Amino acid sequence: MHRSRVSTLLIDVPHAERDAADAFWGAALGVEPRTVPDEEQFTSLPHAVPGLVTAVQGVDDAPRYHLDIETDDVAAETARLVALGAVEVRQWLECRTLRVPGGHLVCVIPLHSDPAEFEAAARTWP
Amino acid sequence: MHRSRVSTLLIDVPHAERDAADAFWGAALGVEPRTVPDEEQFTSLPHAVPGLVTAVQGVDDAPRYHLDIETDDVAAETARLVALGAVEVRQWLECRTLRVPGGHLVCVIPLHSDPAEFEAAARTWP
């Protein structure tokens, strides 16, 4: 048995647009953008969306949103989603990036959010 | 004064991939996908993400996610976001589609979610 939930909304933005995006999203959602120590590709938007970690991420790619699914068992969750039709496209540290049916990106990541929010929202898989 | 909040996560998918995406997202998030009466382009994923309306939408375009911001004053919220650098690209019924700094799509829509959730999460703008 393992558990997972949609934990994170990433606003992926080309590096050249990063400052403009950080400023826009902070003002648009009414929060103070915060750099993330040792993870300079991320700008956190704390409490922008209740229950979700929300951040801007600088990428070498076109602008896109993507979702992270956090789990207490990355291998099991990845296998579950692959069995549902997802295809693993990349691995970065402990995170697995999947292309899911329909074409969207989803990353499977280890637990990283508020434990109480994970407890409240996670689903359990056999 | 008006209020707004991020209310909705849309998983936009090319029409040809719609059935596969509906099935994947329902199983992946552990919910029963539901068609939306009179809005057949949408498949609702009820309670997939606490506090957010989550749905698959068939589109004539590449796969993407987008966010909706719901508000009690669409014109005022649109003007606020345009003043922050967003550009209006489309209008559909009462909804305004904006391209925001960094390149992402955001739709500004009238109130449509659980009133208690809006009350709890909305921010107030001068």
Side-chain angles (χ1 to χ4, degrees), chain A residues 55-113:
Chain A
V56 176
Q57 179 177 217
V59 296
D60 289 319
D61 208 339
R64 62 180 179 227
Y65 303 96
H66 83 261
L67 297 178
D68 287 349
I69 293 179
E70 70 172 341
T71 177
D72 53 11
D73 188 334
V74 169
E77 179 68 357
T78 301
R80 186 180 76 86
L81 297 176
V82 167
L84 294 174
V87 174
E88 191 170 343
V89 294
R90 221 170 10 253
Q91 186 161 355
W92 179 70
L93 303 177
E94 293 177 276
C95 308
R96 314 285 187 93
T97 301
L98 308 179
R99 178 80 61 187
V100 309
H104 300 75
L105 289 178
V106 171
C107 294
V108 179
I109 65 173
L111 297 183
H112 76 303
S113 74

Side-chain angles (χ1 to χ4, degrees), chain B residues 7-95:
Chain B
S7 62
T8 311
L9 171 66
L10 270 301
I11 300 163
D12 296 331
V13 64
H15 295 293
E17 307 286 334
R18 176 76 181 282
D19 290 347
D22 287 356
F24 172 80
W25 284 100
L29 303 184
V31 301
E32 189 64 40
R34 272 197 222 148
T35 54
V36 179
D38 300 326
E39 294 190 306
E40 64 185 22
Q41 74 272 36
F42 295 109
T43 302
S44 174
L45 299 167
H47 308 295
V49 182
L52 284 187
V53 175
T54 307
V56 176
Q57 178 177 219
V59 297
D60 289 320
D61 208 338
R64 62 180 179 228
Y65 302 96
H66 83 260
L67 297 178
D68 287 349
I69 292 180
E70 71 172 339
T71 177
D72 53 10
D73 187 334
V74 169
E77 179 68 357
T78 301
R80 186 180 76 86
L81 297 176
V82 167
L84 294 174
V87 174
E88 191 169 342
V89 293
R90 222 170 10 254
Q91 188 161 356
W92 179 70
L93 303 175
E94 293 177 274
C95 307

Side-chain angles (χ1 to χ4, degrees), chain A residues 42-58:
Chain A
F42 295 109
T43 301
S44 173
L45 300 166
H47 308 296
V49 182
L52 283 186
V53 175
T54 307
V56 176
Q57 179 177 217

